[in-house]
Amino acid sequence: MAIIHHTTLKPTKLELLTAWLPSRPWYAGAGEPRLAKAGGFRLDDPDGEVGIEFMVISDDSGPEAVCHLTPLTYRGAPLDGAEHALVGTMEHGVLGPRWAYDGCHDPVLAAQLWALIEGRVQAQAQSVTDAVDREVTRSYTGSGLATGQGAVPAVEDSAEGTLLAAPDGTTLRLHRVLRPAPQGEPLLPEGALGHVGGAWQLPDGTRAHGLFAALHAGTPG
């Protein structure tokens, strides 16, 4: 169970992301980001060592506000071989130095994300300890997944988002730019094996729900 500490972070997560986001091919803002937290959820690391957060942030740097999905992991020491995925370092008021990574490149996040899709773990509230996030939806229509504990998926970033190819042949398309789903429309895309959906706050204060990620057999078209 992840314990949520309500304490200081220097720099803050939003400050780290402000510097990091413009380097991403899927970033859809304009100029320097102007960020605000808009939602998200957490997953538990079974070993209790790695913080896992799927953060939704809004950015009003352009003519229209954009919401991005930014999976992050937080570690108490550097992750070997993941220097390219480092978002930055922070000083946590309780835990001390923390290394923040693009979670797509972290094997702990990958294992727990596939477990969420299959229904073996539950999404946790972003800011409350030991509370299930009921707004997160998931589905899976295939047989048992075998992604391999500790395996790092092959990660490919593009303007369309991020693809994570697992050792078992499944591929997860992560939606980095979020769009609200039409009322009553199913989130599972045609041909997909599973999905993760969630909710976030739009700049006008309304609550939106949409697709975060879709799982496919092989590489999606």
Side-chain angles (χ1 to χ4, degrees):
M1 177 187 69
I3 298 175
I4 308 301
H5 299 281
H6 297 282
T7 185
T8 58
L9 284 172
K10 297 182 180 179
T12 67
K13 298 172 187 177
L14 291 183
E15 287 171 338
L16 288 183
L17 290 170
T18 296
W20 178 76
L21 276 175
S23 68
R24 303 298 94 193
W26 40 262
Y27 175 61
E32 182 176 354
R34 295 201 300 260
L35 306 181
K37 292 182 179 179
F41 66 94
R42 289 179 177 263
L43 294 175
D44 283 339
D45 170 16
D47 295 328
E49 296 293 330
V50 179
I52 305 172
E53 181 176 16
F54 289 76
M55 183 184 294
V56 179
I57 52 173
S58 65
D59 178 9
D60 65 356
S61 61
E64 296 184 2
V66 179
C67 288
H68 290 95
L69 178 65
T70 56
L72 298 169
T73 56
Y74 311 111
R75 290 175 168 264
L79 174 61
D80 289 343
E83 295 82 4
H84 62 290
L86 182 67
V87 175
T89 58
M90 306 176 290
E91 187 68 25
H92 190 283
V94 175
L95 302 175
R98 302 293 282 173
W99 280 256
Y101 289 94
D102 178 355
C104 295
H105 298 266
D106 195 313
V108 175
L109 181 144
Q112 294 308 104
L113 180 54
W114 261 263
L116 172 65
I117 291 172
E118 198 174 7
R120 293 183 282 110
V121 302
Q122 290 182 302
Q124 301 295 308
Q126 192 174 27
S127 302
V128 182
T129 298
D130 197 23
V132 174
D133 189 333
R134 302 294 180 186
E135 290 187 298
V136 174
T137 61
R138 45 73 47 192
S139 68
Y140 181 59
T141 60
S143 57
L145 291 167
T147 57
Q149 187 70 27
V152 181
V155 180
E156 180 183 342
D157 281 318
S158 71
E160 285 71 45
T162 303
L163 292 180
L164 287 76
D168 69 351
T170 56
T171 300
L172 193 67
R173 181 187 292 278
L174 205 70
H175 290 239
R176 295 292 202 158
V177 177
L178 298 179
R179 295 177 175 84
Q183 187 70 26
E185 182 173 304
L187 293 184
L188 188 67
E190 184 177 353
L193 300 176
H195 88 284
V196 175
W200 65 93
Q201 196 87 359
L202 294 175
D204 65 3
T206 60
R207 198 75 175 156
H209 188 263
L211 185 65
F212 284 175
L215 185 70
H216 298 263
T219 304

